[in-house]
Amino acid sequence: MVKINESYLKLKAGYLFPEIARRVNAFVTENPDAPIIKLGIGDVTEPLPDACLDAMAAAVKEMGDRATFKGYGPEQGYAWLREKIAAQDFQARGCQIDASEIFVSDGAKCDTGNILDIFGKDNTIAVTDPVYPVYVDTNVMAGHTGEADESGKYGGLTYIPITADNEFTAQIPTEKVDLIYLCFPNNPTGATASKEQLQAWVDYAKTNGSIIFFDAAYEAFITDDSLPHSIYELDGAKDCAIEFRSFSKNAGFTGTRCAFTVVPKTLTVKTSSGEEVQLWKLWNRRQSTKFNGVSYIVQRGAEAVYSEAGQAQIKELISFYLENAAIIRKELESVGFDVFGGVNAPYVWVKTPEGLTSWDFFDKLLINCNVVGTPGSGFGAAGEGYFRISAFNSRENVLEAMKRITTAFK
Ligand code: MLT
């Protein structure tokens, strides 16, 4: 008899963003003329930087000529891209990351899920609450959790609340956990972690033999020079952390697809028989077997991010979205909302007004303002009573959405 992976049956409802899309589509079917503005999923709206477009156009030409045509590339990514990433994203910040420790991929979402392939089933796992749902759902799928309770919390996971009460900082757990997911600048709260806070996590991981999965997909939005962009800026992190990065949010590659994961060669774990194993070797083996690399054309586009023109153009894009975030913060504050984040991150985390639940506020915004956001409770039980507004949209749409909300809630 065929057996399915019954862990999938433990998953709550749909994945958050398709569930939002389903509700919005139902509303639009009944109200086809509603001028919907989407500030929900963190999907970029502005065109790709010219430097990336030019590089990809040149790469397309190369693919059309027998002399320069490329077939399969290295599963880990082309050396010319890995070297630029290592030099500019890490070595320039004093992090001794080598190009061979960079694995180019088609997305940080895929990598944060796929990384579980190289870990055993019996690890204790900690996530923040609220949290990017992929970290939780991929552990459910892999059979690492028990059932969910009515608040959506899965048995077997350690949840670390990040709330206004602790200024959205992730407190170190008192118990020992093996795998820890951290995301800074944070999705969904837009909060950041200081060097001291991250150093405390690294020290905890080293003391307890834990591994930190550090999602830095939003590092380019850091405006405060004192904040770390990479976990490898902290002492000892190369012995206990894997970092995930993406070109989606800094260079607008959500539809183009390119990201990378850093697995330092110094990161080792002991087997049950006491043998020291390099995680780099396992991830390299995993990628070589299950992945054929990112397309040559897209990697040339990603490489252009590191050119002088590319750097200037992505800075402009990021400033544009951060200005949107500042507008959202200012407008919502002007009518009395409590707002967080949105300064070093493209997400503004809002306390729902009038004691509304996150989904009630979602419905109210959709019906009364035709604006779509993301209910905080979709990111975890501690997100209840909060709402995430994304700054990824055109200026015109952001201004219009804020006009509608401030009129409805003044
Ligand atoms: C989000 O809205 O949280 C992100 O767009 C999701 C993602 O990057 O996969």
Side-chain angles (χ1 to χ4, degrees), residues 15-17 40-43 109 132-134 187-188 217-218 248-249 254 257 347 374 379 388 390 392:
Y15 178 57
L16 177 61
F17 296 106
I41 190 165
D43 194 5
K109 173 174 165 179
Y132 178 42
V134 172
N187 178 14
Y218 299 95
S248 284
K249 313 291 160 106
T254 53
R257 311 304 311 148
Y347 297 126
T374 310
F379 296 101
R388 193 191 76 176
S390 157
F392 291 117

Side-chain angles (χ1 to χ4, degrees), residues 30-145:
E30 285 189 10
N31 305 275
D33 298 327
I36 298 281
I37 297 177
K38 292 185 180 168
L39 302 176
I41 190 165
D43 194 5
V44 295
T45 52
E46 302 311 295
L48 292 174
D50 283 341
C52 302
L53 287 174
D54 293 345
M56 285 194 279
V60 167
K61 281 231 154 67
E62 285 183 69
M63 293 300 262
D65 181 341
R66 184 178 297 279
T68 48
F69 169 79
K70 304 279 183 301
Y72 290 124
E75 294 90 352
Q76 302 81 356
Y78 283 99
W80 35 259
L81 175 56
R82 299 168 87 196
E83 277 156 16
K84 291 199 175 67
I85 294 170
Q88 296 191 40
D89 281 334
F90 296 98
Q91 292 157 14
R93 290 190 183 279
C95 313
Q96 294 319 309
I97 295 295
D98 186 71
S100 63
E101 297 172 312
I102 312 276
F103 291 84
V104 177
S105 77
D106 60 348
K109 173 174 165 179
C110 327
D111 283 357
T112 54
N114 291 334
I115 198 74
L116 294 176
D117 273 12
I118 65 168
F119 290 90
K121 282 206 176 301
D122 299 322
N123 291 304
T124 47
I125 298 158
V127 293
T128 61
D129 179 10
V131 67
Y132 178 42
V134 172
Y135 314 151
V136 172
D137 287 3
T138 51
N139 274 291
V140 177
M141 291 169 175
H144 296 170
T145 72

Side-chain angles (χ1 to χ4, degrees), residues 189-191 321-326 329 340-349 391:
T189 65
Y321 291 125
L322 282 175
E323 276 164 34
N324 281 351
R329 282 185 59 101
F340 308 92
V343 176
N344 294 284
Y347 297 126
V348 180
W349 189 241

Side-chain angles (χ1 to χ4, degrees), residues 13-25 41 109 133 359:
Y15 178 57
L16 177 61
F17 296 106
E19 174 60 17
I20 290 170
R22 193 187 62 72
R23 290 181 185 226
V24 174
N25 290 341
I41 190 165
K109 173 174 165 179
W359 277 109

